[in-house]
């Protein structure tokens, strides 16, 4: 099992704190934590936190570089247009670099994933459009880069929703999705029932368990 943020809006947060939190979660989880990030798109969230909306993409790129530097060097000197610090001490340094998952469907998100990510995750699109986005992503980099999809669970009772979602798995796999994250809804009780129904099906459909 993995522990993944899907996704954390990085330009709303202090990247030094995020780096510390991610490294701590990696240590506690036995290197099973994946830091999933996005840039955000709703201006009111930035207004509420006092973050600049217009520079969110550039600050996200800068923060990703900083986090990777802290996780691999333990605090070596780092400088770029948005983050600049002399050498210092950072701990815990992960045994392995924390995998970076980049979320989003835009060309900018794909370029960010190609440049900095270990995984890319789509949001709010179906298998057909996902396949198109995967093709675009592959044209941007020769690096090994995992392709994940995120989809809401189907409507209906927990059993119906699980069956309908499982019925889409072959289409997602054919489109190039290596993992499928299923959002089970905002209601905690209903989400739990849906997750249990999906878990019961996963024994027969290993792809669903991923």
């Amino acid at each position: 099992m993995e522990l993944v943020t899907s996704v954390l809006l990085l330009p709303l947060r202090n990247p030094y704190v995020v780096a510390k939190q991610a490294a701590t979660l990696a240590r506690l989880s036995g290197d099973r934590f994946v830091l999933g990030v996005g840039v955000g798109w709703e201006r009111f969230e930035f207004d509420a936190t006092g973050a600049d909306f217009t520079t969110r993409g550039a600050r996200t790129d800068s923060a990703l570089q900083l986090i990777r530097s802290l996780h691999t060097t333990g605090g070596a000197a780092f400088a770029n247009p948005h983050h600049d610090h002399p050498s210092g001490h950072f701990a815990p340094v992960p045994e392995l670099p924390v995998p970076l998952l980049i979320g989003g469907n835009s060309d900018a998100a794909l370029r960010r994933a190609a440049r900095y990510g270990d995984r890319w995750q789509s949001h709010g699109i179906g298998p057909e459009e996902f396949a198109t986005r995967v093709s675009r992503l592959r044209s941007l980099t020769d690096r090994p880069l995992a392709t994940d999809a995120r989809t809401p669970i189907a409507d209906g009772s927990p059993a119906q929703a699980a069956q309908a979602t499982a019925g889409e798995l072959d289409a997602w796999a054919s489109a190039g999705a290596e993992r499928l994250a299923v959002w089970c809804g905002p209601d905690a009780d209903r989400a739990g029932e849906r997750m249990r129904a999906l878990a019961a099906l996963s024994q027969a459909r290993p792809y669903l368990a991923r």
Side-chain angles (χ1 to χ4, degrees), residues 46-183:
F46 290 78
D47 292 341
T49 58
D52 182 22
F53 181 78
T54 61
T55 61
R56 66 194 188 282
R59 289 187 293 107
T60 297
D61 291 347
S62 173
L64 288 169
Q65 295 173 64
L66 172 63
I67 291 169
R68 182 65 88 207
S69 175
L70 292 171
H71 284 179
T72 55
T73 70
F78 179 87
N80 70 21
H82 292 279
H83 300 99
D84 189 355
H85 70 84
S87 60
H89 178 71
F90 176 88
V93 175
E95 293 291 330
L96 301 170
V98 172
L100 299 176
L101 179 150
I102 311 300
N105 304 325
S106 68
D107 269 3
L110 295 178
R111 290 193 298 270
R112 184 169 294 112
R115 186 173 300 170
Y116 306 112
D118 302 292
R119 288 159 59 171
W120 166 70
Q121 185 183 78
S122 69
H123 175 71
I125 60 176
E128 184 175 350
E129 177 62 19
F130 181 84
T132 300
R133 296 281 83 195
V134 169
S135 178
R136 171 62 175 157
L137 179 66
R138 297 303 184 205
S139 73
L140 295 172
T141 181
D142 294 327
R143 293 192 306 109
L145 189 65
T147 49
D148 300 6
R150 173 173 164 162
T151 187
I153 197 167
D155 294 329
S157 68
Q160 292 170 334
Q163 288 286 354
T165 301
E168 301 173 355
L169 295 181
D170 289 339
W172 282 112
S174 296
E178 298 177 35
R179 298 175 185 83
L180 182 65
V182 180
W183 184 64

Side-chain angles (χ1 to χ4, degrees), residues 12-14 34 50 58 72 92 94 98 104 122 147 195 205:
L12 296 181
R13 293 168 167 82
N14 183 320
V34 178
T72 55
V98 172
S122 69
T147 49
M195 290 174 69
R205 300 294 299 271

